[in-house]
Amino acid sequence: MADVLSQSEIDALLSALSAGELEAEELPKEEEKQKVKVYDFRSPQKFSKEHIRALEVIHDNFARIISNYLTAQVRKNTKINIQTVEQITYEEFIHSVPNPTIMTVFKMPPLNGTVLFEMNPTFSFNVIDILLGGNGERTHVNKEFTDIDKNIIFNVASGLVSNLKLAWEDVLDVSIEIENIETNPALNQTLAPNEPVALITFSVEMGKSSTFIHLCIPYLSIEKFLDKLVMQNWFQSNEDEENEHIRKKIRNRINNVEVDVAVQLGKTDIIVDDFLRLAAGDVLVLDNKASSPVDVFIENELCYYAKPGIMGKKMGISILDSVRKDVESDE
């Protein structure tokens, strides 16, 4: 910590500056330490931490769903857990994928572009081995995928990918459109090499084997829906839906309540003696003209103006306007 100058030392310093004995540049300055964050323009960070967290929550649910699905398909206890969610470039993803592999290319409308789901050879051949009657415990297989292998694994991959619809349903209503399956990742040039993607890595434990599968979502696919990946909006949306449900329920209850409706054609004042002398055929003159609107009362409250008339063999009214009442506030 720097020493604190006394008042006399401050005065002496100011005097020296005024007399020109000391230049301002000669005053000691504290070293300013600035923290500089390295930014790589070749790999821009377009996914925020909030977006990464939202993708992790969505696909953690996806991992649980496909765990149950795969267990039912291979009749073997399978555990799938999400490991990492990170942003990399498309080129880095392609270079990290082994050749051959099983890469499912599909679309998720209304998301734009294509999404990639990669299942490495160890996982793919283990699944194929189990479905063909084996135990699925081969540790390493060094061969190309045959047409039969591709057809078998295509059905499994299609089932896994289709469950993304369930995982995304609370965020966005998507549909799954599978285009094809590639075994050579280098041939899949759907994106520019430096295009940022979200790479979601899942660990798969099936019997004694342990391996990984990957889901690659390009930034361009979800760029227009980034607001949906803000978790705060999810809770707000759920709250709005709940409030709307309550409003509809209250509205339905109110709609079934019976109320008294009365129409006042007019009014007049008479004395008690005339009232006692009233008989059939007497005529009372009202204060309202026959062509003028009549008052409609709901539970003794004036609410509408209407025009009287006849509907079939019954009398009726046609609402002309509502009564706008000023709200009185306590002062």
Side-chain angles (χ1 to χ4, degrees):
M1 182 176 179
D3 296 334
V4 178
L5 299 178
S6 64
Q7 187 60 45
S8 59
E9 290 173 331
I10 294 175
D11 293 339
L13 184 58
L14 293 176
S15 299
L17 286 172
S18 301
E21 298 175 359
L22 183 64
E23 296 294 336
E25 290 76 4
E26 297 176 10
L27 293 176
K29 297 181 179 180
E30 293 184 2
E31 294 182 359
E32 297 180 357
K33 295 182 179 180
Q34 298 181 353
K35 295 182 178 179
V36 179
K37 184 179 180 180
V38 177
Y39 186 85
D40 188 359
F41 288 92
R42 294 173 300 178
S43 179
Q45 297 296 313
K46 293 188 176 182
F47 291 95
S48 67
K49 291 183 179 179
E50 182 69 22
H51 300 151
I52 294 295
R53 175 57 182 162
L55 289 174
E56 182 178 356
V57 172
I58 294 171
H59 294 96
D60 184 58
N61 184 33
F62 174 65
R64 290 193 294 270
I65 294 173
I66 61 176
S67 292
N68 297 330
Y69 171 81
L70 202 56
T71 298
Q73 290 295 313
V74 300
R75 300 293 192 272
K76 199 168 190 177
N77 186 31
T78 305
K79 295 180 181 180
I80 301 179
N81 297 305
I82 190 168
Q83 290 297 308
T84 59
V85 180
E86 58 181 340
Q87 175 183 319
I88 61 174
T89 63
Y90 180 68
E91 184 179 23
E92 291 173 336
F93 166 67
I94 290 298
H95 288 169
S96 66
V97 175
N99 185 13
T101 188
I102 294 294
M103 183 178 293
T104 307
V105 183
F106 64 98
K107 293 183 177 181
M108 289 176 60
L111 300 185
N112 299 321
T114 56
V115 184
L116 305 176
F117 184 67
E118 187 267 332
M119 302 185 300
N120 64 51
T122 302
F123 171 79
S124 301
F125 280 119
N126 283 345
V127 171
I128 294 171
D129 186 48
I130 292 174
L131 294 179
L132 293 179
N135 56 15
E137 296 181 356
R138 292 188 294 177
T139 57
H140 181 70
V141 179
N142 186 15
K143 71 168 188 173
E144 295 288 336
F145 288 94
T146 64
D147 291 339
I148 295 177
D149 294 335
K150 292 178 183 179
N151 289 332
I152 293 174
I153 205 63
F154 177 80
N155 294 328
V156 176
S158 300
L160 292 174
V161 169
S162 64
N163 284 291
L164 280 169
K165 181 177 176 63
L166 294 176
W168 278 78
E169 64 179 358
D170 292 335
V171 180
L172 194 65
D173 186 15
V174 300
S175 58
I176 306 300
E177 300 176 1
I178 298 178
E179 294 188 338
N180 62 304
I181 279 185
E182 295 284 354
T183 57
N184 186 354
L187 298 179
N188 191 65
Q189 301 296 333
T190 57
L191 293 172
N194 60 345
E195 184 65 35
V197 298
L199 180 62
I200 305 162
T201 303
F202 303 89
S203 64
V204 182
E205 295 182 8
M206 188 167 52
K208 296 181 180 180
S209 64
S210 179
T211 183
F212 296 94
I213 57 178
H214 303 90
L215 181 65
C216 175
I217 304 178
Y219 175 79
L220 292 176
S221 297
I222 59 177
E223 183 178 11
K224 295 182 180 179
F225 303 95
L226 288 178
D227 58 322
K228 300 288 186 181
L229 297 181
V230 178
M231 298 180 65
Q232 183 179 358
N233 294 344
W234 300 358
F235 300 111
Q236 182 66 34
S237 176
N238 292 337
E239 184 178 350
D240 293 341
E241 292 177 1
E242 183 177 355
N243 291 339
E244 181 62 23
H245 174 72
I246 294 174
R247 283 194 292 268
K248 288 183 178 179
K249 192 172 183 180
I250 294 175
R251 190 182 301 114
N252 292 335
R253 293 290 182 88
I254 293 177
N255 289 339
N256 295 326
V257 177
E258 294 183 356
V259 294
D260 292 330
V261 180
V263 178
Q264 181 177 283
L265 299 178
K267 59 183 179 180
T268 188
D269 294 325
I270 61 174
I271 62 176
V272 175
D273 185 56
D274 292 339
F275 173 72
L276 296 175
R277 294 175 182 271
L278 285 176
D282 292 342
V283 177
L284 295 176
V285 180
L286 304 178
D287 62 349
N288 196 25
K289 294 181 179 181
S291 60
S292 299
V294 296
D295 297 335
V296 182
F297 293 84
I298 309 294
E299 296 291 340
N300 298 323
E301 290 288 335
L302 179 61
C303 295
Y304 302 101
Y305 299 115
K307 178 182 178 180
I310 297 176
M311 297 181 62
K313 296 182 179 181
K314 297 182 179 181
M315 293 183 293
I317 58 171
S318 175
I319 301 297
L320 299 177
D321 197 5
S322 60
V323 178
R324 296 179 176 86
K325 297 182 180 180
D326 295 334
V327 179
E328 299 180 357
S329 58
D330 297 333
E331 297 183 356

